[in-house]
Amino acid sequence: EVQLVESGGGLVQAGGSLRLSCAASGFTFDDYVIGWFRQAPGKEREGVSCISSSDGSTYYADSVKGRFTISSDNAKNTVYLEMNSLKPEDTAVYYCVADRYNGCYYRASYEYDHWGQGTQVTVSS
């Protein structure tokens, strides 16, 4: 059974940093693309970033490019999202997602079958 467990969310002031973690289990890490979506109140889910361990490809939404960095530790089956220069508009529930794809690029939320429970990120102004 695929399991994704997020951690690392919290409350931070604008300009601050947080690191989210997604611990994955139940599948072969290298065969999957793992990423992050976020959803703010009253807004659609937004694809933030993803990473493919098989070819090293990554994707970032324009809204986070240059501020967020995704990485993976294959030995720990864990993906990290380092978030710097946070803005109030980054406030959302962040979800870890995974599915069996080759290569990482933009995919819509419905294209991912596996989702974590989400972790709240709140950025105060």
Side-chain angles (χ1 to χ4, degrees), residues 1-74:
E1 179 187 3
V2 173
Q3 287 196 325
L4 303 168
V5 180
E6 304 99 332
S7 60
L11 173 64
V12 64
Q13 288 189 331
S17 299
L18 282 174
R19 188 177 79 158
L20 305 184
S21 299
C22 173
S25 62
F27 59 94
T28 302
F29 200 69
D30 287 352
D31 290 345
Y32 278 63
V33 167
I34 300 177
W36 294 91
F37 275 73
R38 67 185 181 185
Q39 187 165 25
K43 294 190 175 181
E44 297 287 324
R45 283 184 178 177
E46 176 190 14
V48 175
S49 182
C50 66
I51 187 166
S52 169
S53 294
S54 62
D55 66 6
S57 56
T58 59
Y59 161 82
Y60 296 97
D62 287 344
S63 56
V64 306
K65 273 181 187 174
R67 300 187 298 122
F68 290 11
T69 303
I70 194 168
S71 62
S72 67
D73 184 335
N74 289 15

Side-chain angles (χ1 to χ4, degrees), residues 27-124:
F27 59 94
T28 302
F29 200 69
D30 287 352
D31 290 345
Y32 278 63
V33 167
I34 300 177
W36 294 91
F37 275 73
R38 67 185 181 185
Q39 187 165 25
K43 294 190 175 181
E44 297 287 324
R45 283 184 178 177
E46 176 190 14
V48 175
S49 182
C50 66
I51 187 166
S52 169
S53 294
S54 62
D55 66 6
S57 56
T58 59
Y59 161 82
Y60 296 97
D62 287 344
S63 56
V64 306
K65 273 181 187 174
R67 300 187 298 122
F68 290 11
T69 303
I70 194 168
S71 62
S72 67
D73 184 335
N74 289 15
K76 295 183 178 179
N77 281 9
T78 299
V79 169
Y80 304 98
L81 186 68
E82 186 75 35
M83 306 186 295
N84 298 316
S85 302
L86 283 162
K87 305 174 182 180
E89 51 264 44
D90 294 317
T91 295
V93 177
Y94 284 70
Y95 297 92
C96 181
V97 299
D99 218 316
R100 191 166 184 164
Y101 290 121
N102 292 318
C104 170
Y105 50 87
Y106 173 79
R107 289 183 175 92
S109 60
Y110 66 84
E111 297 185 80
Y112 286 94
D113 282 342
H114 307 290
W115 291 69
Q117 82 285 355
T119 185
Q120 176 70 46
V121 170
T122 303
V123 184
S124 63

